[in-house]
Structure formats: C-alpha cells, structure tokens
Amino acid sequence: MSATAGLSPLRVGLAGLGTVGQSVASLLVGDAADGIARRAGRRIELTRVASRTPKPGVDIGGAPFSTDLGSLVGNDVDVVVELIGGDTTARDLVASALGAGQGVVTANKALLAASGDELFALAQRQGAPLGFEASVAGGIPIINVLRAGLAANDIGWIAGIVNGTCNYILTQMAVAGQGFADALADAQRLGYAEADPTFDVEGIDAAQKLAILAALAFDTGIDIDGVHAEGIRSVDSEDIAYADELGFTIRHLGLARVAGGGLEARVHPALVPNDVLLAKVDDVMNAVMVHGSAVGGTLHVGPGAGGMATASAVVADLIEVARGTLPIPKPASRRLPALGIRAVRCPWYLKIPAVDQPGVFAHVAEVLGEHGISIEGVIQRPQDIHPGEAPWVPIVILTDEVAQDVIDDAVKAIEGVEGVTAGVTHFRVVHPDALDMQGDA
C-alpha cells in the first residue's frame, strides 16, 4: 500500500502562470508528482489556477482556471501559491488568503520587502503557514538556512551575490571583455534580464532580497528604506581589468551586519579579493556567505533565478506545508535603526583620469594626505592616443580604510586638481572577514 494512501491531499491554488508558475504547475501535475507526494507524505494537488492572462497551452492538469484571483480564496484550496509579482494586487491576495486561514507560499521579494512585517503578523494571528523560500536566491535554500539550519548561531554578517543578472553582466565584462551595454544586451537576449532592466542593474532587486535576509538573520523588522543601494552601470571593462591587476574581482554584493546598535545593510559594486570564494561565482549563479558564531563561515551557492530553480523552492515550501513542518513566521522582536552609509569604513578603489604630465600624481597624493587617506597601491600606465590628442593616463589608487564621507570629500577635491580631466570613479573594496570588525549581534 502507498505511504500516502488514505491521507487527504494538500489542495493548492496557483496564482500566476508566468515562467515560474508554469514550472510549478509542471512539477505538480507532471512526472515529478509521485516523487513529491512520497517525500511530502501525501499528494499535493493543483486544485485551482488563476491568472490575469489565460494561457490555454499550459498543462494545469485539468484544474479549473479563472482570471479572478479572488477565486483562490476559500473554496477548495488549502494553500495559495502567489506568483503574480508586484506589491499591490499580490498583497491583497496574500492578506485575503491568510485572513481566511489558508496557507500561502510566495516567491515575491517586492511584496515581502514592502509588507512582510504586516503579513508575518497576520500569519501569526491566524496560525497560517507562510512560505517564502523562493523570494531570495531562487534554488538556494537560504531562507531555511537562516530560519532553521543556523538557528543555534548568532549571525555575525551576511555577504552575497543575490542578483544573477548583475553577476552575468560583470562576468561577461571580465571574461569576454564586453562593455556594459553589450553585456546587458546579451543578458536580455538570453532572458537573464528584462526589457527594462532597471530593477536589476540599479540594485533594487538585490536590496529587496537583502532586506529580507537581514530581517531573518538579525531578528529585526524588514526595512527596505534602510538598505543603501547602488547599481553596476558605472562599472566599465577597464575597471575590471585594473581590479584584476590589483588582485580583485568586481562583484555586485549585498552586505548586512549589526554594528553600533544599528543595522548596516548595503548593496553596491565592490572589489573582492580573488582568493575569496565569492569572487569565483560566475554567470547567473547566486552565492550567499553567512557567518555564524558557532559554525563560522558558510557558503551557499546555486542558481538564483529561472523557472525551475525558483519552482524548486516553491514546491519545497509546499512539501513542508503538507508535512506540517513549515514554520509560521515569527514577527521580529526588535527594529534596529538603519546605519547611514556615510559612516561605513572600507578601503577604496579610485580611477582618476588625468593628463600625462609631471606633478599631477603628486597633487593627487597631497589631497589624499590632507584627508588622512593612505595609499596602499598604485597603477599608472599611459593610454594609446590618437594624433593630435594630449597624452593621458588614468591614475588607479587603492586606499586604506576610510569612511564614505571622507572619500566623498577627497574625490571632490581631486576633481578640482589641475590636470584631472573628468570625474573620479570610486568603488568600495570588501573582504568578507573584515565585516567581523566592530560588529555585534
């Protein structure tokens, strides 16, 4: 007799038939269904499907279809799977389902970044499970790692690559020597980037994910407004080549830790030492490093996006609901104040465009000295020039640790030095181990 015989199935209502929704449906009604039932201890059945756009070519296993999302609330649905995206209609659907005592599984990081605390509190009041493993890092079970796997630890810091689009673009710029625009076009052609890539390349997507991770890691409220976010448009292939010469790889990182009684959370391009594992994670892969008080450093790597990778996390949550083991979110016990980015100290990479004439570097060094900034490394190499052009040479400098407000003032002063011909490019340098300094849980 089957191990699931006699047990009532878990009835699922699916909202959304985009790439992820179609992948979830294929797992629940296709060849994988028997194995999922065996691992869950009961059948997981697709009972209803709703989508604003009908997709008659998608196999939903004969489940009734509606364009009315509200048809999933109540009726014969135990768990609503929300895959419509956005933070307005999705919020209404999730709140209605939780209010009706139904479980919810979502992949929607924008929803949780905007309304997670409210929805967690509602789930707690209703005693309804709320799964969101798929909201961060796709197929990497990082939510479960923070909620359960590392529960014995005080988390010291999190550092990760949580946007596959940015990682793919930076990898192409490094490996193929492409400029940003060409690498972005390739990402769009391959389906790694949207037609409007703003959320990815400006760091908004990564900031939403980091806000969720930080809330779980440090038992604080979700505060998307407290995450400092920068994108990768300012990175060019020349910066990547100089970084490599200095022993670094440029990655788009999210970093969070508790320091000085507040939460430091930031997303930005950063130079990472080549011998750090994060520097070796390429293409569309995601990676999250978590440092725990007992276990030390851990690294979690895998596909961060894509239909099946994300569907894997969605169905994993459904299996937990079927087993009765998915935790009901616990509202945070505190709300840590956000620390401003201007007080964060780190080394810096500076690229200073300058004419190739005596005295320019000396004046730049003098300005840095006046701001108390030490120079740790320098590259100065003349560039190819065309006839009639003045010779020029970018001055590339690696500094010691300095606060953002100090480097901003120094950069402004350097841009006023005679012989400096344009704006100064500057990126932070990050070694994950340095995040332990001055940190507290």
Side-chain angles (χ1 to χ4, degrees), residues 20-262:
V20 177
Q22 292 179 39
S23 297
V24 168
S26 71
L27 288 175
L28 295 183
V29 305
D31 293 340
D34 287 342
I36 289 169
R38 186 171 60 254
R39 291 184 289 277
R42 58 198 283 207
R43 303 292 300 182
I44 299 179
E45 293 185 354
L46 192 57
T47 306
R48 288 182 179 270
V49 177
S51 174
R52 288 167 288 197
T53 304
K55 299 200 174 156
V58 177
D59 183 7
I60 57 175
F65 175 85
S66 174
T67 56
D68 176 16
L69 297 173
S71 65
L72 304 180
V73 179
N75 294 321
D76 50 356
V77 172
D78 300 312
V79 182
V80 173
V81 174
E82 183 278 305
L83 300 174
I84 60 176
D87 59 6
T88 303
T89 303
R91 182 207 165 277
D92 293 342
L93 173 61
V94 170
S96 295
L98 291 173
Q102 293 169 288
V104 170
V105 171
T106 180
N108 194 335
K109 70 266 183 183
L111 169 66
L112 296 175
S115 304
D117 289 342
E118 171 193 348
L119 295 174
F120 291 171
L122 177 57
Q124 183 76 205
R125 289 197 302 272
Q126 296 297 115
L130 172 56
F132 51 99
E133 184 64 70
S135 66
V136 180
I140 306 173
I142 192 63
I143 301 298
N144 191 54
V145 166
L146 293 174
R147 287 171 113 181
L150 295 180
N153 293 256
D154 288 326
I155 303 302
W157 50 262
I158 299 171
I161 298 165
V162 292
N163 184 275
T165 301
C166 287
N167 207 44
Y168 176 81
I169 291 170
L170 293 174
T171 299
Q172 288 300 107
M173 291 172 70
V175 174
Q178 291 183 312
F180 173 82
D182 288 340
L184 172 58
D186 271 355
Q188 291 171 319
R189 177 178 56 82
L190 294 168
Y192 299 150
E194 301 290 341
D196 179 359
T198 301
F199 265 63
D200 290 320
V201 300
E202 297 297 341
I204 299 168
D205 173 87
Q208 292 170 339
K209 294 170 181 174
L210 185 65
I212 296 167
L213 292 179
L216 292 175
F218 306 117
D219 188 26
T220 183
I222 298 174
D223 181 14
I224 184 60
D225 294 330
V227 180
H228 174 83
E230 299 174 22
I232 62 169
R233 289 187 188 273
S234 58
V235 181
D236 64 30
S237 53
E238 187 179 65
D239 296 315
I240 289 173
Y242 280 128
D244 183 61
E245 189 168 343
L246 291 164
F248 296 88
T249 299
I250 296 181
R251 289 287 180 255
H252 190 242
L253 292 187
L255 307 107
R257 65 171 181 161
V258 176

